[in-house]
Amino acid sequence: MDQLTASSPCNVVIFGGNGDLAIRKLLPALYNLDRTGYLGDNTRVIGASRTDLGHDGYLDLVKQGLDQFVDRAQWDEAVWERFSKRLTYVAVNAREPETFKNLAAELDQDFSCQDTVYYLSTAPDFFGEISRNLNEAGLVNSSSRVVLEKPIGKSLASSKVINDGVSEIFAENNIYRIDHYLGKETVQNLLAVRFANALFEPVWTNAHIDNVQITVAETVGVEGRWGYYDDSGALRDMIQNHLLQLLCLVAMGVPVSLDADAVRAEKLKVLKSLQTMSLDKVRRNTVRAQYAAGNVGGKAVPGYKEEEGGKPNSQTETFVAIRADIHNWRWRGVPFYLRTGKRLPARYSEIVIQFKDVPHSIFPEGSNLASNKLVIRLQPEESIQLNMMNKLPGLGEGMQVTPVTLNLTMPDHIADSRVPEAYERLILDVIRGNSTLFVHRDEVEAAWVWADAILDGWKQSTVAPHSYPAGSWGPQAAFELVARDGRSWQESN
Ligand code: BG6
């Protein structure tokens, strides 16, 4: 367990405070921060949205959400008593500046004596307007922070409009762009494994690594978000942000420190080295597909177009597989295979660093020699495993070798029995003013340059997305993408 220090008092204002993300993730995370003693005494949580819910109405809504989304083992009535006293609600309409006076009245004295965090859990089109209205209401000072939820735009051009709007009011060091994958415990552990051990860095290059695979597989479909999702698709929803951020943490060089600027500088170099794909490369190195009706976990499920709110002519991709290439000294020639999809047979997220084969085998012909692999599992369980070869014990003739797994997972006696949720870590970091795990504007833009080329390529293509039955590992083309290079996807186990 790390050292517990309650944060200094802060006002946390959540725009979209009654929305899905706030109820499912943000408020449970704040409850858990309170339960574990990380919220300072006078920290307040203010839900804001345009619906006039009233204080009691909001409390009821939050309580119902916590009942549903906080693990029963973490429930404590006394904590709820305390947490509910921190909660208030104000009706604010992002488009109506005069309603911001309600928020100003609520913050009143606290505003000048403690930091304020504005968490914008709304559609990104509102980010600029909310920032301007906050400023006009006198609610922004040099220590006010703003948190932006993804997606930041749908392209480089639209992300610039959003970022420009927010930057008119907030300085870049007070803008916290969330990518919740960076808050996952194992993702941070990847930094520790890479940079707190002398072992890996010398072999972390194209001389020793054959390929890297990043898979984020989901069993869920679009979960009532068809409208949003259809406008987005898997490339914008997952690859442009979550998977590229994971790629950055695997591929980046050693930062000079763990400072936000130092870490971001290294990530940015990776994003800028990603090869922007020509039309021909898009055709060769990307596969997009949409799920048809099928069976997931023994249950029949409809196809994407037949989901609630679905439209029959949608061509939006729910699955993507990509071969990405990083053009720099360290990674030239090492493919990074990225894969994500909805309605796949299992939910898991994993990074596999596949090392090269030994240059020459001295073991008997037919030996079961497998190349080394570092497997970083983000979810559902968290683990880091190194696959190595060992001698098979025994007196048999000739030396028999066999693969064994070295488990680098945190032993129970060191680990806190409960791994904090990504949003707990990230919200606490915003309150503490630590932006290492947040995404700089330059990163968002570099990621869009790469993603835009793929989206353009798809737009110009006359070939429709592939189809895959729900409950399968995607279309055949995704297997061929990797098989063509003489490789295969790491099986989930
Ligand atoms: C979100 C996407 O950012 O991440 C969702 O919008 C996706 O479509 C979710 O389901 C996955 O997050 P996690 O933490 O459950 O892997």
Side-chain angles (χ1 to χ4, degrees):
M1 168 92 142
D2 59 357
Q3 216 172 357
L4 193 161
T5 329
S7 52
S8 5
C10 183
N11 303 310
V12 181
V13 182
I14 308 176
F15 283 86
N18 58 348
D20 197 53
L21 181 74
I23 299 295
R24 274 173 186 266
K25 299 282 184 190
L26 310 182
L27 289 151
L30 283 158
Y31 163 88
N32 268 316
L33 287 174
D34 194 355
R35 184 181 63 80
T36 45
Y38 283 102
L39 283 193
D41 275 351
N42 292 322
T43 292
R44 302 174 58 200
V45 179
I46 301 163
S49 84
R50 57 189 172 164
T51 323
D52 198 359
L53 290 174
H55 177 77
D56 292 346
Y58 190 57
L59 239 58
D60 286 349
L61 188 75
V62 174
K63 175 72 170 45
Q64 279 167 32
L66 297 182
D67 283 345
Q68 201 178 341
F69 299 111
V70 170
D71 199 299
R72 285 306 85 191
Q74 265 85 57
W75 187 254
D76 182 337
E77 277 299 326
V79 176
W80 165 244
E81 273 299 300
R82 185 171 70 219
F83 185 65
S84 60
K85 295 205 173 79
R86 300 179 187 273
L87 278 172
T88 33
Y89 179 78
V90 284
V92 182
N93 186 331
R95 298 246 132 110
E96 292 170 11
E98 67 280 9
T99 61
F100 281 68
K101 289 186 191 133
N102 302 339
L103 181 58
E106 188 59 51
L107 289 173
D108 195 24
Q109 307 239 319
D110 282 353
F111 181 66
S112 47
C113 44
Q114 61 187 45
D115 291 351
T116 300
V117 167
Y118 299 108
Y119 197 121
L120 309 193
S121 172
T122 64
D125 291 348
F126 293 115
F127 292 172
E129 211 164 347
I130 294 177
S131 305
R132 273 191 303 280
N133 287 333
L134 283 171
N135 192 41
E136 271 162 34
L139 293 177
V140 179
N141 62 23
S142 59
S143 64
S144 313
R145 291 160 217 149
V146 66
V147 185
L148 309 183
E149 257 300 331
K150 71 160 255 286
I152 309 226
K154 291 177 62 189
S155 61
L156 175 62
S158 55
S159 80
K160 282 189 169 173
V161 172
I162 295 167
N163 279 323
D164 283 347
V166 178
S167 305
E168 266 174 37
I169 309 298
F170 292 92
E172 180 65 29
N173 63 353
N174 283 332
I175 303 178
Y176 290 70
R177 294 178 193 82
I178 275 216
D179 185 309
H180 77 276
Y181 267 60
L182 294 179
K184 292 187 190 271
E185 195 68 19
T186 321
V187 175
Q188 295 162 66
N189 199 12
L190 177 58
L191 291 177
V193 167
R194 282 199 61 198
F195 303 129
N197 296 292
L199 197 64
F200 291 114
E201 190 53 21
V203 294
W204 211 259
T205 75
N206 53 6
H208 300 282
I209 292 180
D210 180 78
N211 72 89
V212 175
Q213 301 187 6
I214 304 180
T215 297
V216 177
E218 298 188 276
T219 50
V220 291
V222 285
E223 294 193 295
R225 296 191 304 160
W226 205 91
Y228 154 76
Y229 194 86
D230 200 58
D231 221 22
S232 170
L235 191 89
R236 292 186 177 101
D237 187 50
M238 298 294 287
I239 303 255
Q240 189 270 347
N241 33 76
H242 303 325
L243 276 88
L244 281 192
Q245 283 294 323
L246 298 181
L247 175 145
C248 283
L249 295 183
V250 172
M252 71 191 215
V254 191
V256 292
S257 72
L258 273 184
D259 260 17
D261 287 346
V263 173
R264 287 159 166 187
E266 293 303 326
K267 288 199 285 167
L268 187 60
K269 283 189 211 161
V270 173
L271 290 166
K272 289 199 161 170
S273 315
L274 275 174
Q275 185 196 25
T276 312
M277 289 189 215
S278 61
L279 264 187
D280 189 47
K281 278 270 160 52
V282 172
R283 217 169 292 134
R284 237 181 109 62
N285 288 350
T286 72
V287 173
R288 60 180 169 143
Q290 190 186 75
Y291 63 82
N295 212 292
V296 180
K299 214 176 122 218
V301 294
Y304 172 72
K305 295 198 250 279
E306 294 89 51
E307 296 272 16
E308 192 194 327
K311 301 218 174 76
N313 53 359
S314 167
Q315 298 237 323
T316 298
E317 79 286 354
T318 58
F319 175 98
V320 180
I322 293 182
R323 174 189 161 135
D325 287 274
I326 301 175
H327 282 186
N328 65 15
W329 278 35
R330 191 194 279 261
W331 295 114
R332 187 72 197 215
V334 180
F336 279 69
Y337 299 109
L338 312 179
R339 175 173 66 155
T340 187
K342 299 226 180 254
R343 291 286 194 224
L344 300 184
R347 172 178 184 254
Y348 82 102
S349 302
E350 199 169 78
I351 304 172
V352 180
I353 318 290
Q354 177 84 56
F355 289 89
K356 292 192 168 166
D357 290 338
V358 290
H360 167 71
S361 168
I362 58 168
F363 298 95
E365 220 172 287
S367 283
N368 186 17
L369 263 191
S371 47
N372 300 133
K373 230 172 1 193
L374 184 68
V375 182
I376 300 144
R377 168 74 73 132
L378 275 51
Q379 54 196 30
E381 72 287 355
E382 319 219 328
S383 67
I384 301 189
Q385 295 184 329
L386 184 61
N387 292 10
M388 313 256 309
M389 296 304 298
N390 260 222
K391 178 185 176 297
L392 197 64
L395 300 175
E397 216 177 313
M399 191 189 288
Q400 299 296 312
V401 288
T402 188
V404 290
T405 299
L406 194 63
N407 202 338
L408 306 182
T409 309
M410 194 61 73
D412 285 348
H413 70 275
I414 299 182
D416 192 338
S417 53
R418 175 180 170 272
V419 176
E421 282 281 326
Y423 277 101
E424 288 171 45
R425 147 68 53 198
L426 295 173
I427 292 174
L428 188 58
D429 277 0
V430 184
I431 295 175
R432 287 170 170 164
N434 177 356
S435 55
T436 303
L437 296 178
F438 294 81
V439 184
H440 192 276
R441 172 176 184 158
D442 295 344
E443 292 176 67
V444 174
E445 295 187 354
W448 274 125
V449 169
W450 178 82
D452 273 359
I454 298 174
L455 290 164
D456 282 353
W458 287 348
K459 204 150 70 191
Q460 290 182 44
S461 165
T462 46
V463 186
H466 296 271
S467 173
Y468 61 101
S472 72
W473 284 110
Q476 189 53 29
F479 293 92
E480 285 158 13
L481 173 86
V482 181
R484 186 186 71 201
D485 298 342
R487 301 181 175 104
S488 58
W489 291 107
Q490 154 90 9
E491 293 293 322
S492 132
N493 46 36

